[in-house]
Amino acid sequence: MYKFIKFIKRSSLIAAIALIASISAHAKMPILKGIGGDFTLNSSKGKQVSLSDFRGKVVLMFFGYTNCADICPTTMAHVAQMVKKLSPEQQAKVQVLFVSIDSEYDTPKHLNKYLSYFDPSFIGLVDDKEKIDHVAKLYSAEYSKLADERVTTEFKKLSLEDKNAPKKKGYLFSHTAKIFVIDGKGRMRGYFYTGTPLKEMRDDVTQLLATSK
Amino acid sequence: MKKFLLIVLSLLTSIVSYSLLAEQLTVENAWIRAMPPTSRVVPIYLTMKNTGDQPIKLLAINSPNGRIELHQTIMKNGLMRMTPVEKIMVDSHGQTTMAPGGYHGMMMNFTQGVPAKGDSVPLTLTFNNGEKLTIMAAVKMNSDETMHHHHH
């Protein structure tokens, strides 16, 4: 029992330290160790892309899929709005990457059309599932495919009623809400979320660009 | 003349029935996110206000332009997922907003292609009290697009 209390005490201390760290992290975006790393994937621009191609740029990376109705387009529109608020010089030093977790459906061409709609400079990455899984693991970007029973049944019913209805099973993904912020040296510096205010994102990106010179 | 009267009469009835319902329930700011023409799904957002004494549940949204499911984005342990819901509650003297990151309509199987920016899409909302309300949803890039116009 005593051990347990000690454990609680210790963990609350750790939690407090973590809290302080996260507060100062917000102010300075320190280098996050033990997460991230370089990778190479097929891109929506028609050739392979490595994270190291973007040295000197702030990279904002998001994991999603194009058949996602709500969060993915909301996030892309949100990030696009933030990028528009940057100066042209800053814009040239920011790269948005959208890693598709739906390698079965999202082709590079489809991703390009999708992302160009938000901002032509955005690059989509899609590759064999194993390669995507590897990147997801590097960044602890958990995701999983949910075979949704109701959606599946609904789609089956539809394809019976209408020959033109999609034959594919209905599916939904569960995925991380984070936008990974990577500095000009390929180091993880923090996270944004769909709800992060535009000004806060812009201030952090501006600061990262200023300090990485 | 007879035809004209009939039109006026039906117009009046529709106005009367609309305002009766409008007293209790109003739908505002309905919008659809403008998405690439290659999209398979687009989201629908709106705000429902219930001034009545009874809670009301939204059961379905229908449109001649496509099939619509009611969905909710749920955040759990840092993971987001979307899940279909059977109803969306609007409390008495309350309001429910369907907005990015929460409740939304997921529109698919488009009959007239993916709604394009500037389009208006008719939506019919069906509620558990049997009421149906037809509104027009504006297709735009962001929710605050109209707000910008007000500011300038």
Side-chain angles (χ1 to χ4, degrees):
Chain A
M1 187 60 193
Y2 172 68
K3 246 184 189 171
F4 181 68
I5 291 166
K6 203 173 160 188
F7 171 73
I8 294 282
K9 271 187 183 164
R10 191 184 292 164
S11 41
S12 60
L13 184 68
I14 291 168
I17 291 167
L19 186 70
I20 292 161
S22 74
I23 290 166
S24 58
H26 176 72
K28 289 186 213 144
M29 297 197 103
I31 297 153
L32 303 180
K33 299 244 167 79
I35 181 166
D38 198 20
F39 55 81
T40 303
L41 294 170
N42 281 327
S43 86
S44 58
K45 300 293 180 194
K47 53 178 180 150
Q48 286 207 323
V49 154
S50 301
L51 180 65
S52 55
D53 295 348
F54 308 112
R55 288 292 182 263
K57 292 187 181 188
V58 168
V59 173
L60 303 176
M61 185 166 69
F62 183 73
F63 292 79
Y65 62 112
T66 66
N67 283 329
C68 155
D70 182 37
I71 281 293
C72 308
T74 300
T75 306
M76 284 301 108
H78 192 59
V79 173
Q81 265 187 307
M82 189 277 292
V83 171
K84 278 195 191 89
K85 285 189 192 318
L86 297 171
S87 71
E89 293 77 29
Q90 288 174 321
Q91 285 180 14
K93 295 205 162 197
V94 172
Q95 183 60 58
V96 175
L97 299 179
F98 179 98
V99 183
S100 170
I101 51 171
D102 188 3
S103 34
E104 266 181 59
Y105 183 82
D106 288 338
T107 61
K109 206 176 154 190
H110 181 66
L111 265 180
N112 194 41
K113 277 185 187 159
Y114 178 83
L115 292 169
S116 297
Y117 201 75
F118 297 101
D119 189 318
S121 79
F122 289 5
I123 296 177
L125 303 173
V126 64
D127 216 313
D128 297 339
K129 195 179 176 295
E130 303 83 70
K131 288 189 182 169
I132 299 293
D133 285 350
H134 173 69
V135 180
K137 204 178 166 192
L138 279 178
Y139 287 84
S140 301
E142 225 181 303
Y143 79 92
S144 59
K145 192 171 183 170
L146 312 162
D148 190 285
E149 202 48 51
R150 209 180 81 85
V151 175
T152 309
T153 324
E154 194 77 19
F155 267 74
K156 271 183 192 157
K157 204 168 75 192
L158 254 173
S159 34
L160 282 177
E161 286 166 3
D162 178 4
K163 278 180 187 143
N164 295 322
K167 294 225 162 53
K168 256 192 153 182
K169 277 201 306 181
Y171 59 87
L172 296 161
F173 282 93
S174 158
H175 59 104
T176 179
K178 290 167 181 163
I179 299 165
F180 297 80
V181 185
I182 302 160
D183 72 11
K185 288 178 177 151
R187 301 172 302 197
M188 263 300 296
R189 298 299 290 264
Y191 308 96
F192 293 149
Y193 296 87
T194 311
T196 306
L198 290 176
K199 193 187 173 298
E200 195 180 313
M201 285 167 69
R202 194 182 59 173
D203 288 351
D204 285 346
V205 167
T206 304
Q207 197 186 7
L208 272 185
L209 285 173
T211 52
S212 65
K213 266 175 194 165
Chain B
M1 187 61 192
K2 204 176 171 186
K3 201 178 175 188
F4 175 72
L5 274 178
L6 207 68
I7 291 169
V8 171
L9 197 70
S10 66
L11 213 64
L12 276 175
T13 355
S14 67
I15 289 167
V16 170
S17 61
Y18 176 76
S19 60
L20 275 177
L21 178 59
E23 267 173 35
Q24 200 190 351
L25 192 75
T26 50
V27 177
E28 293 170 5
N29 300 324
W31 68 285
I32 293 174
R33 189 183 294 282
M35 295 274 282
T38 46
S39 300
R40 283 210 311 183
V41 294
V42 301
I44 296 169
Y45 305 111
L46 48 84
T47 299
M48 295 175 285
K49 286 183 180 167
N50 177 9
T51 52
D53 295 326
Q54 295 295 320
I56 293 176
K57 290 170 198 157
L58 171 68
L59 299 180
I61 303 178
N62 290 290
S63 174
N65 298 35
R67 197 168 68 85
I68 299 160
E69 282 186 0
L70 301 180
H71 276 214
Q72 184 181 18
T73 296
I74 296 168
M75 174 92 102
K76 204 176 168 188
N77 304 326
L79 290 181
M80 287 176 304
R81 59 173 291 193
M82 285 178 280
T83 184
V85 291
E86 285 181 4
K87 55 187 182 291
I88 296 172
M89 187 82 141
V90 191
D91 288 336
S92 60
H93 304 286
Q95 71 171 53
T96 298
T97 302
M98 293 169 69
Y103 285 119
H104 58 276
M106 179 165 112
M107 189 173 177
M108 57 200 140
N109 299 76
F110 307 105
T111 55
Q112 292 159 53
V114 175
K117 191 179 170 182
D119 283 359
S120 279
V121 176
L123 302 176
T124 301
L125 284 71
T126 305
F127 298 92
N128 68 319
N129 59 0
E131 300 284 5
K132 281 179 194 280
L133 198 55
T134 298
I135 47 138
M136 297 302 284
V139 183
K140 50 191 184 178
M141 296 295 282
N142 286 299
S143 60
D144 51 351
E145 236 171 52
T146 47
M147 272 162 64
H148 285 301
H149 291 295
H150 289 300
H151 288 308
H152 297 300

